[in-house]
Structure formats: structure tokens, C-alpha cells
Amino acid sequence: MPTTLPRLPDDRLRTLVAAHAEAVGATRRRTLWSVAALIAVVIVAGFVAEVDPVKLVSRIGAFGDYLGRIAVFDNGDHVGRPVLVAPGEWMWGIGHWSRLILDTLLIAYAGTLVGAVAAFVLSFLAARNLGRHPVLRIAVKRFLEFCRTVPELVFALVFVIAFGLGALPGVLALAIHTTGALGKLFGELVENIDMRPVEGLTASGGSWWQTVRFAVVPQIAANFAGYALLRFEINVRGASVMGFVGAGGIGQDLLEAIRKFYYADVSAILVLIIATVMVIDRATERLRHRLTGLEGRA
Amino acid sequence: MSVVVRTSGAAGGASATRRIRAALGPAARAERAALEKRHPEIFAGSRTARAGGVAVVAGLVGLLVFALLRLDFSFARIGSGIAQLAHFLTLMIPPSSGTWVRFGLFVHALGETVAIALVGTLAAAVLAFPVGFLAARNVVPGRFLHFFARRGLDTIRGVDTLIWALIWINVVGLGPFAGVLAIMSSDFGAFGKLFSETIEAVDRKPVEGVVSTGGSRLAEIRFAILPQILPVVAGQVLYYVESNTRSATIIGIVGAGGIGMFLSEAIHTLEWQQVSLLVLMILVAVAVIDQISARIRFAVIGDRRIEV
């Protein structure tokens, strides 16, 4: 069956095409200018950051080499053979490393929980609709901003000097950073609640604490928990490098393996970290989906 | 019983609320006993729900106690540490770089940090864009390819930026370029995942429209999918530029350029005045970047929320 499309007369078509070209042209010119500006900024930034594509291309072989080298044994009975032929030898430190991974998880857990509790309390003070005093509210907001802008490793560096080496400064650094990050998210949640339950509690003479407990918390508890779980996921990654500055966990051993060129150990520890992160991601994703399900029913 | 509360019109606000509470509280509580007798089922609450809540809290606290015990936590150490911190704080005032030459070095390093974040993030976005399509279920139907793309991205994402920095230092040597590559690598994983999720969430109707006019697979992507995802993707990239400015401040700790090198040096040599100056500089830089990116985001997508 032949299909035919109707054809407009040429003069009509011409005006329509011209109108279309004009309408599209304006946005297109604007887009082109923004892209040009972006490219200019990137070129300047590239100079400042000493980006050198030639060096990258000439050395990219080294990257492949590195990945290749960490995948084979460089000493012992299996020299030159892939690590997977002797998993037992590859994972020789599994007992030690899994204890360190457990420490890493516990650092992330303790940091997240302490930070989440602090953020929970502070978010009510920082929220516009519940804040008790404007000066207090702004002070809390600035404090949270400071906590989340300064990277956790900087806190860890300072805390290692104040508290000594070990996991404690790592936990505190993560807790402070978590307080800042979650405090902001929690505060936004609190500002977006339905105010009718709050009015109901006020009208029946509830105190500020009772209002928060019975009108606000039930509305946001599931979302709070979801955000906290997401943060835990991020903190597991953060805790895996705390050891770089001496603040506990698996990072110390990884840094040592990379710096001292223990190639097979590097891949073994990396595999353990990646596996742990994946398992945690999966588990928290499940939990978060269950939480959103709970919220739907409530 | 009746209670009359007088509030003076709209001028009330917080004080009116307080007055309402003061007047109504006792009145409402006076009737509580009678109410409880009439509706016991409401006051009792669900026993299983309450038991579940208590069990969860007990579990969380138990795990916290176990964690703290295992990690050698002690109040004595916390106390002496806090005393130390307070001492450091007094040494931090006023912030100072010592010499102007050093201040110039700091400013240059800060510029390097911002440049690393910008170039690294954009490079990651450009590289991850096509991969996002490969990992999206509605564009590439092959289960196999989709599965491997997703797992590959997860693996890259599982390695922290600092670890990538250490690996890239082995390849291109110390300096900011290694930092750019590190940010690029870790964000490549994150962007691939985000982009593919955005692509999977597109509206099917424009796609059907393009198909119905006889458009090719490429035309489908160009005219039906791209216009939908570009604003969202732009928002996500901007958000990552912001957050990477923060991460780029620390990769200098392992020697990958930026202000982190000076910061870790100042902390290790206990030059507290320099530490406070550097932290202030980072706070200002991040605030400025946040403002700029909020402006651009508003221009590109308006006041929409971005899921990241």
C-alpha cells in the first residue's frame, strides 16, 4: 500500500520554515555561546591543573601495566602467574584483613549513628517552621555548614594529633561530617512536613517536645532512617581511607601495600574493599526499599 | 469545661502559640483520665509495634557499644583529646599564613583545587555519558551487557577517590593531573549509574512519537531521550562539581595536587594559624562555587529537585 503525505504549497512552507528557523535560532545561539564559555573555562582550568593529554597517552600503558602487575604474583612459589591460580596465597592475610574490614565497618557504623543522632536533634532547631529562636537557628545552620564543608579527612588529621592514632579520631571525624550532611537533609525534611498535626498538638496544649515527638517525628522517621542508611553507605567508603592518615581501618594496610609495591596485596585488599562496599550497598538498598514500603502503609 | 483564649489578631506569632499552650494544656490534661477510660484502645497503642521499635533501638545501641569497645574507646582519651583540641583552637587565632609569598602559594593551590574538581568532573561526565546509555535497560535490551556495565560501574565506584589518586600517581607522577584523573575515575562510576537511572526513567511517549514517524534508533535517542535527560544530567553534573570541590581539597594529602598538601603539612607541623587560614579559604571557595552552581542550575532547569 503506497503512503502519501500531504504537501504544503511552497510559499506557505517558506514562511513556516523561516519562522521555525528564527524560533530555534535564538535558543541555539544561546546554547552555542554557553558551550563556548564552558570550553574556555575548562581550557583555563586544564592549564591550572596541569592537564597533559600527551603524557596521559604516553603513560597510559603504565596504567594497564599497573593493573596487570597487581593481578600476578611477584614473589613466592607462583611468581609471574595470575593471583587467581593460588587464592590461598593471594589472600594470605585474609584473617588480619577481615578484622580490619570489620573495624572499618564499625568505624562507619559508629560515626553514622552518632552523627545521625546529633543531626536529628539539631535539625529541629535548624528548621524554620519549628525553630525556637532565630539566633539559635542561624547559629545551628552555620555550624552544620561548617561540619559538612570541611572534609572528614581534615578533621581526622587534626583529631589524630589531639586524640592519638587509632580508630577513635576516625569515628569522631565521620560523626562530625555526618552531622553536617544529615543535619541539612533532616532540616529540609522537617521544613516540608504537613503542619496540621503540629497545629493539632498545639491546640490541645502539647509542649514543644510533645509536638516534636507526636506530630513531627512520625511523619519523618522513615525518611530519616533512609537518609541515614545512605550516609552509612558513603561512610563505609570514607572509613576505608581513614587509615591513610592513621585513623584506623583497612586504609593503613592498603596505603602501605601501594607505597611499598606489594602488588598482589594491593589487589587482594582492593578486592576485599570493593566486595564489602558492594554487599553494604545491596543490603542498605534492600532496607531502604523496605522503609519506603513502610512509609506507604503508614 | 470551656476555655477562652484571647490573642490579639495577627500580631500573635510565637507568643500567641505560647499563650494557647499555657491556657489549653492544663484544660486538655484535666480531661485525660476520662478520655482514657472511654477509649482505652487508642491509648494502649500497638504493643507489637512498640516492641519492634524497642528491639531496633536496643540492637542499634548494642552494636554501637560493641563497636566502641572493639575500637578502644575511652572517656579519659576523649577528655584529654578535647582539652588538646581547645588548646589548638586558641593557637589558631588569628588565621595567618606567615608571609605573603606563602599566601600566594595557598591561593594558587586553591585555584588548582577548583580546577581539578571542574576538569575531573566534566571529563567523567563526558566519558560516562555513552556508558550510561549502555547500562540503561530501555536503550540496550541485552541483559548480559546491561549486567556487566552495571557491575563494572559498581566496581569503579567502590574504590575511593584517594585510592584512585594513589594509583594514578604511579602512572602520571605527583601533581594535580593525577588528582584530575582520580576524580574522573571515581565519578565515572557514579555518573554511569546516575545517568543510566535517569535514562531508564524517561517518558516513553516521545520515543513512540519518533518511532511512529519512522525515526531511526539514533533519531530516537537524539530527539526523544536527549531533550528529556539533558537538564537533569546538567543538574547532576553541577552538584558533583560542588561536592568534588570538597573532595579535591583532600587529595593533596597523598600528593595529587591542590590545597590539601599545604593543609596536611600545616597540620603535621602544628602551624595552627595556617591551618585555620586554609580552612577558612576552603569554606569561602566552597560557598562561592555553591552560589555559582545554584545560579547556573536555576538557569538550566529552574527550581526542580535533583535526585543524586
Side-chain angles (χ1 to χ4, degrees):
Chain A
M1 190 185 73
T3 45
T4 53
L5 293 169
R7 225 188 128 68
L8 289 167
D10 276 350
D11 52 337
R12 179 84 189 113
L13 202 58
R14 220 172 295 128
T15 44
L16 284 177
V17 167
H20 176 257
E22 198 183 329
V24 173
T27 33
R28 191 164 288 172
R29 268 195 301 280
R30 223 187 64 167
T31 312
L32 279 178
W33 274 115
S34 339
V35 170
L38 179 67
I39 291 176
V41 171
V42 168
I43 289 175
V44 172
F47 269 110
V48 176
E50 295 169 28
V51 172
D52 188 349
V54 179
K55 192 178 183 184
L56 178 62
V57 171
S58 68
R59 307 273 303 163
I60 193 69
F63 181 66
D65 257 14
Y66 190 79
L67 291 188
R69 279 176 95 158
I70 64 174
V72 297
F73 288 113
D74 55 355
N75 59 12
D77 300 341
H78 302 277
V79 172
R81 294 171 69 197
V83 286
L84 287 176
V85 296
E89 194 182 324
W90 183 37
M91 289 285 172
W92 64 274
I94 185 77
H96 176 59
W97 290 331
S98 41
R99 271 194 298 280
L100 285 172
I101 292 249
L102 175 68
D103 279 357
T104 307
L105 288 177
L106 290 176
I107 291 171
Y109 172 76
T112 311
L113 190 63
V114 173
V117 170
F120 180 78
V121 174
L122 291 178
S123 67
F124 295 111
L125 301 176
R128 204 170 308 138
N129 51 349
L130 294 177
R132 312 187 73 176
H133 200 281
V135 174
L136 180 67
R137 199 186 81 219
I138 289 169
V140 170
K141 279 214 157 152
R142 289 291 95 77
F143 173 70
L144 292 176
E145 217 161 75
F146 171 77
C147 289
R148 71 173 172 273
T149 304
V150 179
E152 60 233 30
L153 270 186
V154 174
F155 282 125
L157 274 171
V158 175
F159 290 171
V160 162
I161 294 178
F163 295 90
L165 291 168
L168 178 63
V171 172
L172 291 175
L174 279 180
I176 288 195
H177 193 72
T178 304
T179 306
L182 285 181
K184 179 180 184 232
L185 292 171
F186 285 2
E188 279 171 8
L189 277 181
V190 171
E191 284 181 355
N192 287 327
I193 55 165
D194 181 359
M195 285 303 280
R196 279 169 298 183
V198 176
E199 286 160 17
L201 256 286
T202 306
S204 56
S207 70
W208 190 81
W209 287 109
Q210 286 169 334
T211 311
V212 168
R213 165 70 186 84
F214 292 103
V216 183
V217 171
Q219 288 191 56
I220 47 181
N223 275 328
F224 272 17
Y227 279 141
L229 279 172
L230 210 57
R231 197 70 222 175
F232 174 60
E233 219 177 291
I234 298 171
N235 281 346
V236 170
R237 265 167 237 194
S240 71
V241 293
M242 276 296 166
F244 283 24
V245 296
I250 187 91
Q252 178 99 52
D253 278 48
L254 178 61
L255 184 70
E256 205 176 296
I258 294 180
R259 287 260 162 92
K260 294 187 178 163
F261 306 106
Y262 300 149
Y263 291 105
D265 287 6
V266 172
S267 62
I269 297 175
L270 276 181
V271 164
L272 288 176
I273 291 179
I274 292 170
T276 312
V277 169
M278 275 190 185
V279 169
I280 295 288
D281 276 14
R282 273 299 161 91
T284 54
E285 206 179 319
R286 285 261 171 90
L287 264 174
R288 279 191 292 127
H289 282 307
R290 281 196 48 193
L291 279 173
T292 39
L294 279 181
E295 191 191 12
R297 267 189 285 139
Chain B
M1 188 194 306
S2 73
V3 181
V4 180
V5 185
R6 259 185 219 105
T7 55
S8 49
S15 67
T17 312
R18 208 168 300 136
R19 240 175 304 149
I20 293 175
R21 275 184 186 141
L24 284 177
R29 272 192 288 277
E31 286 190 44
R32 189 188 156 119
L35 277 173
E36 226 175 305
K37 204 168 282 169
R38 253 181 291 153
H39 306 286
E41 71 283 358
I42 291 175
F43 282 87
S46 159
R47 205 161 280 177
T48 48
R50 185 161 289 186
V54 170
V56 167
V57 171
L60 287 175
V61 172
L63 194 53
L64 180 66
V65 169
F66 169 69
L68 294 180
L69 284 179
R70 205 185 136 75
L71 301 175
D72 290 331
F73 179 89
S74 87
F75 284 106
R77 230 177 120 195
I78 293 250
S80 68
I82 287 175
Q84 281 267 22
L85 274 182
H87 179 55
F88 294 161
L89 274 178
T90 61
L91 295 178
M92 282 186 185
I93 299 166
S96 149
S97 59
T99 62
W100 282 104
V101 178
R102 209 165 170 76
F103 184 69
L105 286 176
F106 287 177
V107 171
H108 178 254
L110 190 64
E112 223 172 70
T113 298
V114 175
I116 290 171
L118 187 70
V119 178
T121 315
L122 286 176
V126 170
L127 290 178
F129 200 67
V131 179
F133 280 93
L134 286 186
R137 218 167 307 184
N138 53 347
V139 179
V140 176
R143 278 192 75 116
F144 222 60
L145 189 57
H146 172 251
F147 178 82
F148 278 106
R150 275 289 168 92
R151 288 294 84 75
L153 291 173
D154 280 351
T155 309
I156 296 174
R157 226 158 43 88
V159 179
D160 192 90
T161 314
L162 270 190
I163 302 173
W164 279 115
L166 283 174
I167 294 176
W168 281 113
I169 285 172
N170 277 327
V171 178
V172 295
L174 292 167
F177 190 32
V180 171
L181 292 169
I183 298 247
M184 185 190 82
S185 314
S186 65
D187 278 13
F188 175 74
F191 277 146
K193 180 169 182 268
L194 275 176
F195 291 172
S196 66
E197 279 166 6
T198 309
I199 293 165
E200 281 175 3
V202 294
D203 187 0
R204 290 297 299 165
K205 277 170 259 171
V207 178
E208 284 162 14
V210 171
V211 172
S212 74
T213 55
S216 66
R217 192 108 186 99
L218 225 58
E220 205 178 287
I221 290 177
R222 165 67 184 84
F223 293 104
I225 296 181
L226 271 189
Q228 287 191 57
I229 60 166
L230 272 184
V232 182
V233 164
Q236 289 165 341
V237 172
L238 276 171
Y239 177 85
Y240 266 82
V241 171
E242 271 174 58
S243 93
N244 279 336
T245 315
R246 298 184 178 100
S247 351
T249 55
I250 49 163
I251 48 179
I253 293 174
V254 295
I259 204 162
M261 190 189 81
F262 289 108
L263 191 53
S264 82
E265 195 187 284
I267 293 174
H268 281 141
T269 52
L270 307 180
E271 297 279 358
W272 295 111
Q273 290 181 315
Q274 290 184 23
V275 173
S276 58
L277 177 71
L278 286 164
V279 169
L280 273 180
M281 287 171 71
I282 292 174
L283 287 175
V284 170
V286 169
V288 170
I289 298 276
D290 277 9
Q291 282 297 321
I292 295 175
S293 108
R295 285 259 172 96
I296 300 178
R297 184 159 41 199
F298 189 78
V300 175
I301 60 165
D303 210 1
R304 210 175 338 156
R305 238 187 118 84
I306 292 289
E307 292 291 325
V308 281

